[in-house]
Amino acid sequence: MRAGRLNRSPFCLMLCLLAGLLLAGCSGSKSGSDGSYSGATYTVKRGDTLYRISRLTGTSVKDLARLNGISPPYTIEVGQRLKVNGASGSSKKTSSKSTRTAKVTPSSAVPTSSWPPVGQRCWRWPASGKVVLPYSTKDGGNKGIDIAGQRGQPVYAAGAGKVVYVGNQLRGYGNLVMIKHSEDYITAYAHNDKLMVNNGQSVKIGQQIATMGNSDADGVRLHFQIRYRATAIDPLRYLPPQGSKPKC
C-alpha cells in the first residue's frame, strides 16, 4: 500500500488496501502442509506468501526478494524454487519466537512524529480476549494485533464509519471486513466466521460487525489493524485499557 490520503473511489480504495494488507502479512494464516524446504531452497506451494516463507525459513522478506529478484507486489508461483539463507531448523524456531515477542514500538521507517497523537480519535476494543501476537516492526512482521477468543464471539466496530470491504478474496485473511472512519483512518478485521455487515453500510462505534472465527488462521482469533494515511500503526497505543470503555 502506498502512503497518502485514502480519497479514491471505493473500488480503487479496496484494491490498494488489499495489496497493502498482502504485503503487511498476517501471521495467523494457514495453508496446509509446508512446501519443500531443503535448507538452501524452498519450493513454493499453494497458499504461500513471502511472509509465511520468511517465518518457515528464517529468511527475512527483504532478503527473499533480493535473493530471488522479486519486485513488488512480490508475486510468487506454485512450484517456484526460492533461494533462502540456509537457516537450520533451530534458527527457524528462534525466528518465530522472536517475532512473537517483538517489542511494540513504532517502525524506524515511520517516525513516531508522523503517527497521530493518542486521543485524536475515539476507539474501542473490537473484541475481548488475550493479545496473542502484538504489532511488530520487523520486516514482514504483524502490522496489527491478534486477539484470541471463542468461535462465535462478537466482533465490534472499533469506531464509527462506513464499510468499504466485506469478503474473503485476500488469501491469508479469511473473512475480512474493512471500515473507513475518515480520509485518514481505516480499520481491518480478519479471520472472522460470520460477517454481519455489507459494503457501503454505515456502522456505529461498538456495533457488531462479525463473529470471531478461524478462517485462514491456525486458531480462533481476530487480526485487527488501524491504518493512518495508509500506514499500519500500533493499535495498542490507541485503544483504551482492555475491559474499559473509551473516554470520549
Side-chain angles (χ1 to χ4, degrees):
M1 182 183 298
R2 294 179 173 85
R5 289 182 177 268
L6 303 177
N7 52 8
R8 303 177 183 177
S9 68
F11 180 73
C12 291
L13 173 65
M14 181 189 74
L15 293 180
C16 291
L17 287 170
L18 294 182
L21 283 172
L22 178 61
L23 295 181
C26 181
S27 57
S29 64
K30 67 176 181 180
S31 50
S33 60
D34 293 343
S36 175
Y37 175 41
S38 68
T41 61
Y42 181 93
T43 303
V44 179
K45 68 177 183 58
R46 184 177 178 82
D48 274 339
T49 63
L50 280 191
Y51 172 67
R52 186 174 188 277
I53 295 170
S54 170
R55 291 288 301 275
L56 290 171
T57 65
T59 308
S60 72
V61 172
K62 182 178 180 180
D63 284 344
L64 283 171
R66 177 180 56 80
L67 289 169
N68 296 280
I70 302 173
S71 302
Y74 303 114
T75 302
I76 53 179
E77 304 287 342
V78 174
Q80 182 177 352
R81 292 172 64 85
L82 300 179
K83 297 177 184 178
V84 298
N85 67 3
S88 65
S90 60
S91 63
K92 286 191 290 180
K93 293 180 180 179
T94 301
S95 173
S96 296
K97 182 177 180 181
S98 62
T99 300
R100 288 194 299 270
T101 58
K103 292 182 179 179
V104 184
T105 54
S107 169
S108 58
V110 184
T112 308
S113 59
S114 70
W115 289 24
V118 174
Q120 184 183 76
R121 286 193 65 88
C122 183
W123 301 109
R124 66 153 287 166
W125 278 80
S128 59
K130 181 180 179 181
V131 175
V132 293
L133 194 65
Y135 177 94
S136 171
T137 62
K138 293 198 172 187
D139 238 355
N142 198 37
K143 298 311 176 190
I145 57 174
D146 284 24
I147 306 169
Q150 302 296 318
R151 182 179 303 278
Q153 180 179 325
V155 174
Y156 304 103
K162 184 178 181 179
V163 178
V164 292
Y165 179 79
V166 177
N168 57 10
Q169 287 79 19
L170 181 59
R171 186 174 60 195
Y173 287 85
N175 294 327
L176 175 67
V177 176
M178 294 182 182
I179 300 175
K180 182 177 180 180
H181 305 279
S182 69
E183 290 302 313
D184 290 334
Y185 288 96
I186 284 180
T187 52
Y189 313 74
H191 304 315
N192 299 294
D193 183 14
K194 181 180 179 181
L195 302 177
M196 304 176 68
V197 289
N198 300 308
N199 280 314
Q201 180 179 339
S202 294
V203 295
K204 299 178 180 179
I205 184 172
Q207 179 176 335
Q208 185 174 355
I209 59 173
T211 60
M212 197 179 290
N214 66 333
S215 53
D216 275 345
D218 292 326
V220 177
R221 64 177 61 202
L222 172 69
H223 174 71
F224 173 66
Q225 292 188 10
I226 297 178
R227 288 185 169 261
Y228 175 71
R229 296 181 181 177
T231 296
I233 57 179
D234 179 11
L236 292 181
R237 288 170 58 93
Y238 300 95
L239 293 170
Q242 196 167 26
S244 64
K245 294 182 179 180
K247 297 179 180 179
C248 52

